[in-house]
Amino acid sequence: MKGEGKMVIMSKMKWVGLVGLVLSAFSLFVHFLLARYTEEGISDYQSSVTIFSWRPIFENSDFAKNSPLYRRLWGQVRRLESLHPDANPRGYYADPRSESSGYVFVRIQGGFHEIRNSICDVVAISRLLNATLVIPEIQSTTSSKGISSEFKSFAYLYNEDQFMAALVKDVKVVKTLPQNLKGARRKKKIPSFRVPNSASPYFYLHHVLPVLNKHAVVELVVSEGGCLQAILPPHLEEYQRLRCRVGFHALRFRQEVQELATKILHRLRAPGRPFIAFDPGMTRDALAYHGCAELFQDVHTELIQHKRAWMKKHGIVKGKLSVNSAKQRLNGSCPLMPEEVGILLRAYGYSWDTILYISGGEVFGGQRTLIPLHAMFENTVDRTSLGAAWEMSRIYGREVNIVDTKLRAPPSVVQEKKLGAWKNAGPRPHPLPPPPARPKYPHNIEGWWGWVAESDNEPESTVMELRTNAHKLLWEAIDYLICVEADVFIPGFDRDGKGRPNFASLVMGHRLYQSAASKTFRLDRKEVVKLLEENREHLYQANHTWLTSIRKHLRRSLIDGVIEASSKSKPFSFLSHPAPECSCLRYDPTKPVEASLGVMHSCPKWMDSEIKTKSKDKETEEDSDEDVSSSSGLFFKNIGGNNQSGGGELIKEESQLDDQEELEGSD
């Protein structure tokens, strides 16, 4: 009886344990589904800190948005408030003709900013040739690059349907070539042009159009980040506005990318604070092209020089292999280091608890170069700290595991004989086997030391590297949306690995078009480096005079940088400076800033009601937004929660005088 009782008890315990395991498994499954498929953004930041690694730290919970300090650091640039976007046609602009000259098929090669520039150019070219544009191809094959086949070519990055719908009154756009022309293209029987960078309209009208009329199709291969000159003749001004409609309205990222960027932006703004977006622009290609190898040390310098040698061999760089990097830096030709940008921001008045978002698919030198910036700003984040890994995986699509197919050398005959002799040595005591060789990890075989000394050429990209390059397009798309919407944007560099405007330049151009008055620091690197060198030994204990000089320069860059961009960036990329063609004025067109930019067109009347409402709201504000007597004290202040250490304190009268001088200098 006792045994039977024990058996019953044991049986019941097993059933209880089994039920508990089933319930636990069901609970885990439900939690997984909720985490995996919840589409709505996290409404309350406090609930998101358990999922994401960023936990913001603020000195003060209250943040006065009506104070003079807030207006100086985060407020709009009042002298640019009259500029507004206006990319609609301003004269007679006919719909695309029903009789097309033929099909234009385009293959675009390059990075994010090169693709975006090129797409705007090919749309303008199609309109110029009265041709039907086939959706451009930006990722020729998905299998060779190891990316998901769910998103092919153009649709991997952009929304095809939005693109076609937005341009219905500008050009005819189709998704693919007709079947007969598809076969001819596969057999390479259609005429092809490798288009030079910044080709003139004459080239297309006198070289491409006759071939298009004869064969009804042409293929354009664009590999230099733009295929139409940035500054067109005055009679083609409508084509400039067409570029704006493409770049700022028709080119929308696909839904998954747009949604993730919106979620990350929501999490950035959840603490209720404005934020700064910073793009370092420190890529290996850019550093090699401009001769900035000596900004780094040992390994990184050698990698940059190897890339420069490769560029020189392929005719991309025409200068010497060894360049004086110190001289290049003083010339303003090298990127500002993240530490230097942090010093500028702290000198301007941004406190240690400011939210700083770092963009860019690559920061050469890795996280080591960002350590000083993290030390100056506690709330330094990027997309990886604001998004979960599974959220990023969703935008990649279903990708297969890549198997390493590299051929490995077989073991040598001598080693095999030694091993066989040792195994068949008989029953006598065996000597201890030799210690195993140090394992060779993939980075030992494929790292820079595996090829820098062996060949002058760059190693061929593996499928995994090609997949990563494709992912970088999506990373930069997310960063692009966040940088455009940021309260403040500051670039570390505005040139790419070919000397042309880069990702940061596109962001600044979009901000100039969409909201010209948003704070965008367009630094004069030559002047900044000069100021930094003047106080190199005392950057962290800066004096009053030096701080005043830095703040004056940053304040001037908000206006002067826009004017300089019209002569420095626009000749290479129209999207980096779309004024005056795509801007209009709400107020007096005789203002000096607008006149220097060439913007003389008045905004349409339908904007009048919005203008009057906003202008009345601003009548009550003070004319000066430079009174920062409560905050101009110094500088790097995060000791014991106190924001008033690291360089002494400025007395109130000196602070007011400093800000008054800054105001006068900016005007």
Side-chain angles (χ1 to χ4, degrees):
M1 295 296 292
K2 291 182 179 180
E4 290 180 1
K6 287 182 179 180
M7 292 290 290
V8 171
I9 293 172
M10 291 294 292
S11 178
K12 289 182 178 180
M13 290 178 65
K14 287 180 180 179
W15 278 107
V16 170
L18 181 61
V19 171
L21 286 174
V22 171
L23 291 175
S24 299
F26 180 73
S27 176
L28 288 173
F29 179 70
V30 170
H31 279 80
F32 171 77
L33 289 179
L34 290 173
R36 179 69 175 81
Y37 294 105
T38 299
E39 296 293 337
E40 295 298 324
I42 298 175
S43 58
D44 184 10
Y45 179 76
Q46 295 301 326
S47 63
S48 69
V49 296
T50 59
I51 301 175
F52 304 102
S53 59
W54 178 46
R55 292 173 173 81
I57 303 172
F58 300 113
E59 184 179 19
N60 298 313
S61 58
D62 56 333
F63 195 70
K65 295 185 178 181
N66 56 353
S67 64
L69 171 62
Y70 182 91
R71 288 199 299 271
R72 188 179 79 87
L73 297 180
W74 307 103
Q76 293 195 328
V77 182
R78 296 191 177 184
R79 295 173 66 189
L80 295 175
E81 283 184 339
S82 57
L83 283 181
H84 277 257
D86 182 18
N88 294 324
R90 296 176 187 172
Y92 173 73
Y93 188 80
D95 290 342
R97 284 181 276 175
S98 56
E99 306 86 11
S100 172
S101 302
Y103 293 91
V104 173
F105 179 83
V106 186
R107 286 192 293 122
I108 300 173
Q109 302 164 355
F112 177 88
H113 65 283
E114 294 169 323
I115 290 171
R116 199 170 182 89
N117 276 323
S118 299
I119 291 174
C120 298
D121 288 351
V122 298
V123 171
I125 290 165
S126 299
R127 171 82 186 191
L128 183 68
L129 302 179
N130 186 37
T132 300
L133 174 66
V134 182
I135 291 283
E137 190 176 88
I138 61 176
Q139 294 287 344
S140 55
T141 59
T142 57
S143 57
S144 65
K145 292 178 173 58
I147 62 178
S148 174
S149 58
E150 295 177 38
F151 313 105
K152 292 183 179 179
S153 189
F154 187 89
Y156 183 73
L157 187 59
Y158 293 110
N159 187 326
E160 284 186 348
D161 295 331
Q162 163 68 23
F163 182 75
M164 297 174 68
L167 298 176
V168 68
K169 293 187 177 181
D170 296 298
V171 293
K172 287 184 178 179
V173 184
V174 295
K175 289 191 176 182
T176 60
L177 285 167
Q179 199 62 36
N180 61 325
L181 295 178
K182 273 186 183 179
R185 180 180 170 265
R186 288 194 205 99
K187 298 175 183 178
K188 298 183 178 180
K189 291 184 178 180
I190 66 174
S192 177
F193 291 86
R194 184 165 286 277
V195 186
N197 179 262
S198 300
S200 67
Y202 177 90
F203 171 82
Y204 294 99
L205 292 173
H206 292 81
H207 292 84
V208 178
L209 184 58
V211 178
L212 180 64
N213 289 329
K214 182 179 179 180
H215 296 274
V217 61
V218 294
E219 180 179 13
L220 304 181
V221 181
V222 185
S223 59
E224 297 294 326
C227 52
L228 184 64
Q229 65 186 48
I231 300 178
L232 295 175
H235 69 279
L236 296 178
E237 189 172 300
E238 288 299 339
Y239 289 87
Q240 300 287 57
R241 279 187 279 278
L242 173 57
R243 277 169 158 171
C244 291
R245 292 196 293 277
V246 178
F248 306 133
H249 299 282
L251 279 180
R252 297 286 179 87
F253 301 112
R254 61 180 166 91
Q255 185 177 355
E256 296 88 348
V257 177
Q258 199 90 24
E259 288 177 354
L260 181 54
T262 302
K263 287 181 180 180
I264 292 177
L265 188 62
H266 173 75
R267 291 162 189 162
L268 261 176
R269 295 198 182 279
R273 302 286 186 106
F275 72 94
I276 301 173
F278 164 51
D279 181 69
M282 291 175 58
T283 64
R284 182 173 169 230
D285 289 356
L287 293 164
Y289 180 88
H290 296 279
C292 305
E294 294 170 12
L295 296 182
F296 297 86
Q297 296 176 351
D298 51 68
V299 174
H300 298 94
T301 298
E302 190 168 354
L303 280 169
I304 295 170
Q305 283 298 90
H306 190 276
K307 186 69 176 182
R308 184 171 175 83
W310 181 86
M311 287 180 165
K312 195 173 185 311
K313 183 178 180 180
H314 289 76
I316 301 174
V317 173
K318 300 188 184 300
K320 297 179 180 179
L321 177 60
S322 297
V323 180
N324 187 337
S325 298
K327 186 176 180 181
Q328 287 290 92
R329 180 174 174 275
L330 290 172
N331 224 14
S333 299
C334 289
L336 293 173
M337 299 299 285
E339 178 184 11
E340 295 172 333
V341 173
I343 289 171
L344 296 178
L345 292 174
R346 293 302 302 270
Y348 192 70
Y350 294 102
S351 61
W352 63 270
D353 59 352
T354 299
I355 301 174
L356 181 64
Y357 181 88
I358 299 178
S359 75
E362 174 191 359
V363 179
F364 188 77
Q367 291 296 315
R368 185 177 68 174
T369 61
L370 298 174
I371 289 175
L373 191 63
H374 280 267
M376 290 183 232
F377 293 95
E378 291 286 338
N379 297 315
T380 299
V381 293
D382 58 14
R383 65 179 174 278
T384 61
S385 55
L386 292 166
W390 62 265
E391 289 180 311
M392 298 300 297
S393 298
R394 288 186 65 187
I395 67 173
Y396 302 151
R398 296 178 182 177
E399 295 177 333
V400 298
N401 292 329
I402 294 177
V403 180
D404 186 8
T405 57
K406 288 186 177 180
L407 297 176
R408 299 184 182 277
S412 67
V413 177
V414 177
Q415 287 179 342
E416 286 185 347
K417 286 183 177 179
K418 285 182 177 180
L419 183 60
W422 184 79
K423 286 182 178 179
N424 302 320
R428 65 183 184 277
H430 289 190
L432 290 174
R438 183 175 65 86
K440 290 188 176 181
Y441 299 101
H443 63 267
N444 293 117
I445 302 170
E446 301 170 8
W448 66 272
W449 45 88
W451 49 263
V452 163
E454 294 178 0
S455 172
D456 293 335
N457 292 321
E458 293 284 301
E460 293 185 4
S461 298
T462 63
V463 178
M464 193 64 193
E465 288 170 340
L466 292 173
R467 172 185 283 185
T468 302
N469 290 336
H471 289 176
K472 285 179 181 178
L473 295 178
L474 303 179
W475 301 343
E476 294 193 42
I478 292 170
D479 288 340
Y480 183 85
L481 292 171
I482 292 173
C483 289
V484 169
E485 296 296 330
D487 299 278
V488 175
F489 179 73
I490 183 167
F493 201 49
D494 57 0
R495 289 292 180 268
D496 65 4
K498 295 178 182 176
R500 303 189 184 103
N502 66 353
F503 172 91
S505 293
L506 284 192
V507 170
M508 290 189 285
H510 199 147
R511 289 170 67 88
L512 177 63
Y513 171 81
Q514 179 176 294
S515 54
S518 296
K519 265 193 169 56
T520 303
F521 294 109
R522 295 171 171 85
L523 305 176
D524 182 346
R525 287 185 301 279
K526 185 175 181 180
E527 182 67 23
V528 167
V529 171
K530 180 182 176 183
L531 290 170
L532 290 172
E533 288 302 316
E534 286 178 359
N535 200 39
R536 173 59 59 185
E537 300 299 325
H538 305 284
L539 288 177
Y540 289 88
Q541 292 83 30
N543 58 35
H544 173 79
T545 305
W546 187 81
L547 282 176
T548 303
S549 301
I550 287 291
R551 298 215 317 245
K552 282 183 177 180
H553 173 75
L554 288 176
R555 183 67 182 174
R556 285 197 303 268
S557 73
L558 297 171
I559 303 294
D560 295 348
V562 179
I563 299 171
E564 290 177 6
S566 62
S567 60
K568 291 183 178 179
S569 295
K570 187 171 183 175
F572 299 98
S573 168
F574 176 72
L575 291 186
S576 66
H577 188 81
E581 294 90 340
C582 301
S583 299
C584 66
L585 286 178
R586 298 193 312 180
Y587 305 127
D588 184 7
T590 60
K591 287 187 176 181
V593 176
E594 287 77 359
S596 59
L597 292 176
V599 182
M600 304 299 292
H601 178 72
S602 298
C603 290
K605 292 183 178 180
W606 60 266
M607 291 186 181
D608 288 349
S609 58
E610 182 182 357
I611 297 169
K612 291 177 181 178
T613 303
K614 290 187 177 181
S615 60
K616 285 182 180 179
D617 293 339
K618 293 183 181 293
E619 285 177 358
T620 58
E621 294 184 4
E622 301 174 10
D623 292 334
S624 171
D625 60 352
E626 300 299 319
D627 182 14
V628 288
S629 56
S630 62
S631 71
S632 54
L634 275 286
F635 182 25
F636 302 109
K637 329 161 186 173
N638 190 12
I639 300 177
N642 183 17
N643 204 18
Q644 299 295 331
S645 63
E649 296 184 358
L650 300 181
I651 59 175
K652 185 174 181 180
E653 291 77 7
E654 288 178 338
S655 299
Q656 292 174 336
L657 178 61
D658 175 22
D659 298 321
Q660 182 61 32
E661 289 174 351
E662 184 177 352
L663 176 62
E664 293 172 356
S666 65
D667 291 338

